Amino acid sequence: MIRYAKPTSVDEALALLGEDAWRILAGGTDFYPAQGSKPFRDNVLDINGLAALGGIAETDDHFVIGARTTWTDIIRHPLPPAFDALKQAGREVGSVQIQNVASVAGNLCNASPAADGVPALLVLDADVELRSAITTRCLPLQDFILGNRRTALQPGELVTAIRVPKPAAGTSAFVKLGARRYLVISIAMVAARLVVDNGIVVEAAVAAGSCSVVAKRLAGVEAALRGLPAGQALADAVLAAPMAELSPIADVRGSAEYRLDAVREIVARAVLQACGLMNDPEVVAA
């Protein structure tokens, strides 16, 4: 018999996870389309009653985004400019109706190569908090998503928060390439966060999604940007920098060769936007 449970406390949810296998239902914006017309065959644990997992809090050393925090919550919450890329990504997660219910943690757990929130959280050096009835552990986001639809979640565990270390310095931008302007799965997407001191880039974090099995930080691009004046020369540095981390596939949205060419251009755009040197829309039509 298929079980359905809607716990009202995190402890209750963790106890249920410890005694059986469950599919976790949060916003449901990916859950229901993936299910389609097939009959349910898994126990369903609905965490939408866990008020403790909603909202954004600050500690002395972290911004803590609860697992049930929606994209609309992210967009509306006063956060430092380093989070601008995350807010911009949130505005591109489906429609406004989707943003009102889709959770940030669900976007990570879905583990799609085209998950809009992942590059922006990667450039924030985000960790994922996982709890079970026995213990709590934190994993860097790059270690949490293992592949297409695969994560490091263990049986009995629940993602309870995303943790971004303070000070979360600098400014950031997000650029998404799609076949049209709105409501589109990305061909490629990029987030960039730069810290500029006295006109010089002293810290750079750049990540690309939809161009490899999981979104990747681009170490070669980051190294090429550090130490440069914050100006148009940054785009030239991006165009010449190595991007060895990327291994895009060809699919109905674009060829691998097109993605490799396009992602270099949108990295340059994101870097210039993060410096305030370019004001193009976040989503670029192919």
Side-chain angles (χ1 to χ4, degrees), residues 121-220:
L121 287 168
L122 283 174
V123 301
L124 288 167
D125 298 313
D127 293 332
V128 181
E129 180 184 277
L130 305 120
R131 285 183 59 186
S132 70
I134 299 169
T135 188
T136 299
R137 62 186 180 122
C138 285
L139 284 178
L141 176 55
Q142 63 264 31
D143 296 334
F144 174 71
I145 300 177
L146 303 179
N148 186 17
R149 312 295 180 180
R150 295 193 302 115
T151 73
L153 263 173
Q154 297 295 315
E157 284 187 327
L158 175 69
V159 172
T160 49
I162 297 111
R163 300 168 60 86
V164 175
K166 287 183 173 179
T171 55
S172 68
F174 174 81
V175 177
K176 175 175 175 174
L177 173 68
R180 58 180 185 269
R181 178 65 181 83
Y182 294 108
L183 300 174
V184 64
I185 298 173
S186 65
I187 298 169
M189 58 184 161
V190 169
R193 178 176 64 87
L194 301 181
V195 179
V196 177
D197 185 27
N198 292 321
I200 301 297
V201 176
V202 296
E203 184 180 339
V206 180
S210 284
C211 288
S212 45
V213 177
V214 298
K216 298 278 190 178
R217 286 278 293 265
L218 304 181

Side-chain angles (χ1 to χ4, degrees), residues 202-262:
V202 296
E203 184 180 339
V206 180
S210 284
C211 288
S212 45
V213 177
V214 298
K216 298 278 190 178
R217 286 278 293 265
L218 304 181
V221 174
E222 294 172 357
L225 294 174
R226 286 192 289 269
L228 293 181
Q232 292 293 330
L234 295 177
D236 295 331
V238 168
L239 296 178
M243 296 186 180
E245 298 88 352
L246 303 184
S247 53
I249 63 168
D251 62 14
V252 295
R253 294 189 296 278
S255 68
E257 294 79 12
Y258 174 69
R259 280 187 164 94
L260 284 173
D261 287 341

Side-chain angles (χ1 to χ4, degrees), residues 69-95:
T69 304
T70 68
W71 287 107
T72 297
D73 295 332
I74 292 286
I75 293 163
R76 293 178 176 175
H77 196 84
L79 288 163
F83 284 81
D84 285 355
L86 187 63
K87 288 174 177 277
Q88 291 164 2
R91 293 186 182 98
E92 306 304 335
V93 177
S95 63

Side-chain angles (χ1 to χ4, degrees), residues 45-62:
L45 184 68
D46 184 344
I47 65 168
N48 285 292
L50 303 183
L53 298 187
I56 302 166
E58 291 188 44
T59 67
D60 290 341
D61 51 5
H62 284 88

